[in-house]
Amino acid sequence: MHQTTIPNDAVITIAGTVGVGKSTLTRALAEKLAFRTSFENVDHNPYLDKFYDNFERWSFHLQIFFLAERFKTQKKMFEYGGGFVQDRSIYEDVDIFARMHQEQGTMTNEDFETYQSLFNAMVLTPYFPKPDVLIYLESDFDGIMERIQARGRQMELDTDIDYWKRLYKRYQDWIDSFNACPVVRVDINDYDLNESIDSIDPIIEKIARVIETYRNVDKR
């Protein structure tokens, strides 16, 4: 029987709302596959704390910072020859975070148009390397809030629950129309890394089949 494996040059991106467990799954997948990891630059982000204190003042600055960091990361992963699991995709920034701030008035229309224009010039070209697959982590809203409470980041705990509700809904709408690369949806209740890292083996098998299918399609 043919056993599908993930190519060692693959790039796997994990997406999902804040608190859903992207970083934890990133580490586990990388360990199982002997891949490198790529994480958000949170600890060295000069705007993140300021942003949570004042969305309107710092949303544009924060999004530009993330865009630049993710663009550099995307290039680096492919220059290395792949073999990466990435925590959060570059695509979430414009369609979820930046647009949400523009719609709720915490980013001006002018700033959003500038940001979107820059994003399009950098990312929406045939030359921009796309992931082999995007894993979308799903959970109900109450489960997300329990995770945010449990990890105890003060700037997240101080954020109004309405913000988290809007973000959750935005993610749901976004993934339904996302088509930049193949998507594998994963319910976070379908595995338990506290019990065993092997609980993600069915996810790995599914990812492998999706990558094999789409790479074969590209060769035709």
Side-chain angles (χ1 to χ4, degrees):
M1 181 177 177
H2 172 64
Q3 183 176 4
T4 307
T5 58
I6 294 178
N8 59 15
D9 64 344
V11 172
I12 300 166
T13 294
I14 301 179
T17 192
V18 173
V20 77
K22 296 184 297 297
S23 298
T24 302
L25 183 59
T26 295
R27 294 186 185 95
L29 276 175
E31 181 178 339
K32 290 284 288 187
L33 300 173
F35 275 22
R36 300 181 181 92
T37 56
S38 174
F39 290 99
E40 279 192 296
N41 188 357
V42 173
D43 293 338
H44 299 95
N45 188 322
Y47 300 109
L48 197 57
D49 289 342
K50 297 175 183 178
F51 163 75
Y52 277 104
D53 287 336
N54 189 334
F55 287 171
E56 186 171 355
R57 172 69 178 85
W58 296 106
S59 63
F60 178 73
H61 301 75
L62 181 72
Q63 291 307 130
I64 290 293
F65 178 87
F66 275 134
L67 179 60
E69 289 297 305
R70 278 195 244 284
F71 184 80
K72 289 186 291 185
T73 296
Q74 199 80 358
K75 287 187 61 181
K76 180 187 75 174
M77 289 189 299
F78 283 88
E79 287 168 357
Y80 269 114
F84 274 87
V85 184
Q86 180 185 29
D87 176 3
R88 197 187 291 281
S89 75
I90 196 170
Y91 304 101
E92 294 158 77
D93 287 314
V94 64
D95 290 324
I96 296 177
F97 292 96
R99 190 176 296 279
M100 185 173 72
H101 283 291
Q102 183 250 351
E103 290 179 357
Q104 70 187 23
T106 49
M107 181 184 291
T108 67
N109 291 333
E110 293 81 4
D111 281 349
F112 177 75
E113 289 173 6
T114 298
Y115 173 82
Q116 187 175 47
S117 177
L118 181 59
F119 175 90
N120 291 343
M122 295 168 70
V123 176
L124 301 185
T125 71
Y127 313 105
F128 184 76
K130 297 177 180 179
D132 288 279
V133 65
L134 182 142
I135 302 173
Y136 181 72
L137 294 184
E138 299 182 297
S139 171
D140 59 34
F141 180 72
D142 289 341
I144 296 298
M145 293 311 299
E146 288 174 5
R147 283 169 170 256
I148 289 175
Q149 292 287 333
R151 72 181 182 181
R153 293 179 181 172
Q154 196 60 45
M155 58 188 176
E156 294 176 352
L157 298 176
D158 293 340
T159 300
D160 193 284
I161 193 171
D162 287 340
Y163 173 80
W164 300 123
K165 289 179 178 177
R166 289 193 298 271
L167 185 61
Y168 182 81
K169 177 63 164 56
R170 176 73 66 183
Y171 262 100
Q172 289 181 310
D173 294 341
W174 170 76
I175 196 60
D176 286 340
S177 60
F178 179 80
N179 59 9
C181 70
V183 174
V184 171
R185 293 186 183 231
V186 174
D187 190 311
I188 62 173
N189 295 310
D190 289 345
Y191 62 93
D192 186 353
L193 290 169
N194 291 322
E195 179 180 320
S196 172
I197 193 172
D198 294 335
S199 67
I200 63 173
D201 284 350
I203 300 172
I204 292 174
E205 176 63 24
K206 189 173 183 179
I207 295 167
R209 291 197 304 269
V210 168
I211 292 176
E212 181 181 62
T213 297
Y214 279 86
R215 286 195 174 188
N216 287 339
V217 167
D218 288 342
K219 291 176 182 177
R220 294 176 186 174

